[in-house]
Amino acid sequence: MTFRILTLDGGGYRGRLAALMLIQLQQAIDEVCDKRKIPRKSIKDCFDLIAGTSTGSLIASALTVGKSAQEVFNIFANDGRSLFPPQNPLLLLLKASLGPIYDGKELMKTLNTYLGDRRMSDLDKALLITVYDSWNNRPLNICSYDPGCEGIRLVDACRGSSAYPAAFPSHCLTANAETKSFFDELINDRSYFSYDLSCVGGSGIPLVDGGIAANNPAAVALAESKGSQKLKNWFSQKPPIDAHNGNSNDGDTLMVSIGTGQIPPDINYQSGRSYSVRNWTKAFGNPLLEMVYVGLSRANDELCRAILGADNHYRFQPVVLSETVKNPVISRNSVVLVTEEEQKAFGSAVFSATDEVDRVLDKVCYDYFNKNDVSADPSTPLLRLNSLAERLV
């Protein structure tokens, strides 16, 4: 029996790209089901553990409560302009210097609309959401299979995980009767813990973007699958799904990790030698923070691939390069070339939803999966996607 994990990166409005890739995966699953003449399966049905960070936490949660890949995409299509309204660059810089770009009200409204008042204990799927406790300076996981998390509202977990510093205000997880078990576990932990008395209700902890520690939650999810007694206890009551043929010879764990696209910072030798603190940590588009996020993400990929083996680790992460890049040595199954204007639009997609951004995200997804002659290269994403679907059904 193969244990299957789906992980979803953070990335703001670029979550729309992840949703598009999920639609492609669902189509591949549907084709396999039709070929075998069996009832179609949803993405939720094909995985034992789903993990998400930031915008990925919204996607993971929506899948867990039964939303289809298309319905997840519709969240971004219908609510994206409210969550990430188009920004004038100068106004955006001004906002970033005065406080969070967004007040978080629209985000909370959207979460309530699609996730309702569910508690973690209400979920019938193993779900992991990464958050960061900025008061005690440590990463935390909120999990549906952890009895200590059972009273935490799903919307609170997602709102905390999505509180990207400078974009959204931090979110308070208040200590109350419903969250008592969670806080009792933190207090009994050997590491340092204290309450933040400035929180709503007088005591609790402020949560910020889980991406600070795990923008790509793959390694966290893998560690949980291998070593969490709580997860084992959960599956003693709710056994993992069976492989379609009952054969586990292809490995005991299979991971599908979906990113939100990335742009190399292109900081050359001369720039790297001359950059000041201000250059590295400018208020908006912080190159240092972006490099830390991407670096940790790639380290997670390498760790998971080393443990699972390349055949059991499926990473879908387009790299977006401008066509002006001179003679790029590229792997054609991972790089999408765009115009300079399209690359700028893609770069702004974290905090801004516009028609131009939508077109670029559509193009990146389409080119990533479909632009190549798949018969010429067996490693192209489309063929890899099809082989993955065969193993998930």
Side-chain angles (χ1 to χ4, degrees):
M1 183 168 62
T2 301
F3 188 84
R4 300 172 179 132
I5 303 171
L6 172 65
T7 70
L8 297 141
D9 288 16
Y13 187 64
R14 285 187 206 163
R16 180 183 172 116
L17 175 60
L20 286 166
M21 290 192 282
L22 285 171
I23 289 175
Q24 292 271 354
L25 176 57
Q26 183 65 67
Q27 289 174 350
I29 291 171
D30 290 346
E31 289 174 6
V32 173
C33 290
D34 292 347
K35 182 175 68 175
R36 294 183 185 167
K37 298 181 179 180
I38 60 175
R40 289 185 173 184
K41 294 184 177 182
S42 69
I43 287 177
K44 174 187 175 182
D45 295 333
C46 294
F47 292 94
D48 301 296
L49 172 63
I50 302 177
T53 294
S54 196
T55 196
S57 73
L58 168 58
I59 297 172
S61 297
L63 291 173
T64 300
V65 302
K67 304 294 183 185
S68 67
Q70 183 63 54
E71 288 173 319
V72 170
F73 172 79
N74 290 344
I75 295 174
F76 291 92
N78 297 332
D79 296 81
R81 297 295 194 282
S82 298
L83 293 174
F84 302 96
Q87 300 285 330
N88 177 284
L90 293 178
L91 183 59
L92 189 60
L93 285 172
L94 178 61
K95 284 184 177 180
S97 66
L98 297 176
I101 299 170
Y102 311 112
D103 60 17
K105 293 179 180 178
E106 287 296 330
L107 175 57
M108 202 63 176
K109 178 182 176 182
T110 297
L111 292 173
N112 279 310
T113 297
Y114 294 102
L115 304 180
D117 197 38
R118 293 177 178 86
R119 308 277 167 170
M120 299 302 285
S121 60
D122 295 328
L123 305 179
D124 62 359
K125 177 68 62 176
L127 172 69
L128 184 157
I129 293 174
T130 66
V131 296
Y132 200 90
D133 171 6
S134 63
W135 176 251
N136 294 288
N137 195 24
R138 66 178 179 183
L140 299 171
N141 300 327
I142 298 178
C143 311
S144 64
Y145 52 84
D146 182 349
C149 298
E150 61 184 9
I152 297 176
R153 294 194 311 153
L154 187 54
V155 294
D156 285 325
C158 289
R159 175 62 182 82
S161 184
S162 302
Y164 184 91
F168 293 99
S170 60
H171 184 68
C172 172
L173 185 63
T174 305
N176 54 37
E178 286 75 23
T179 60
K180 183 179 185 302
S181 296
F182 181 75
F183 282 101
D184 284 347
E185 286 192 7
L186 293 181
I187 293 168
N188 292 330
D189 193 300
R190 292 181 181 179
S191 62
Y192 169 81
F193 174 80
S194 73
Y195 285 107
D196 175 11
L197 299 182
S198 75
C199 282
V200 177
S203 62
I205 51 175
L207 301 180
V208 295
D209 192 353
I212 290 176
N215 198 52
N216 173 355
V220 176
L222 181 59
E224 286 287 291
S225 73
K226 297 295 185 181
S228 171
Q229 187 59 49
K230 294 173 182 176
L231 188 60
K232 292 177 182 177
N233 292 342
W234 163 281
F235 281 118
S236 68
Q237 303 297 321
K238 303 179 181 182
I241 55 176
D242 291 328
H244 67 267
N245 58 5
N247 186 346
S248 61
N249 292 333
D250 55 352
D252 65 350
T253 303
L254 182 153
M255 174 176 285
V256 178
S257 176
I258 296 182
T260 56
Q262 69 177 71
I263 303 175
D266 293 332
I267 298 175
N268 64 21
Y269 172 72
Q270 291 296 335
S271 298
R273 284 173 58 85
S274 61
Y275 268 18
S276 66
V277 171
R278 181 176 176 275
N279 294 126
W280 282 109
T281 61
K282 56 187 177 183
F284 187 68
N286 186 323
L288 182 59
L289 186 59
E290 178 68 15
M291 291 171 72
V292 169
Y293 272 34
V294 173
L296 287 173
S297 176
R298 297 189 71 152
N300 279 344
D301 289 341
E302 293 175 12
L303 175 64
C304 293
R305 191 175 300 112
I307 293 173
L308 298 175
D311 291 340
N312 291 321
H313 179 259
Y314 292 78
R315 174 66 168 166
F316 298 102
Q317 173 73 321
V319 175
V320 180
L321 286 180
S322 170
E323 292 175 337
T324 60
V325 174
K326 300 298 182 182
N327 301 318
V329 179
I330 63 174
S331 170
R332 72 177 192 165
N333 64 317
S334 64
V335 173
V336 176
L337 296 177
V338 296
T339 67
E340 283 190 276
E341 288 304 312
E342 288 173 331
Q343 190 181 48
K344 289 178 182 177
F346 187 85
S348 70
V350 175
F351 299 126
S352 182
T354 65
D355 291 340
E356 183 182 20
V357 164
D358 289 347
R359 285 193 294 270
V360 173
L361 296 180
D362 291 345
K363 175 180 178 178
V364 169
C365 184
Y366 180 83
D367 285 1
Y368 181 63
F369 284 113
N370 299 295
K371 72 174 181 178
N372 297 307
D373 175 10
V374 296
S375 64
D377 184 355
S379 66
T380 56
L382 186 59
L383 284 187
R384 189 161 167 79
L385 195 66
N386 293 339
S387 68
L388 169 61
E390 292 280 354
R391 298 180 66 185
L392 291 175
V393 174

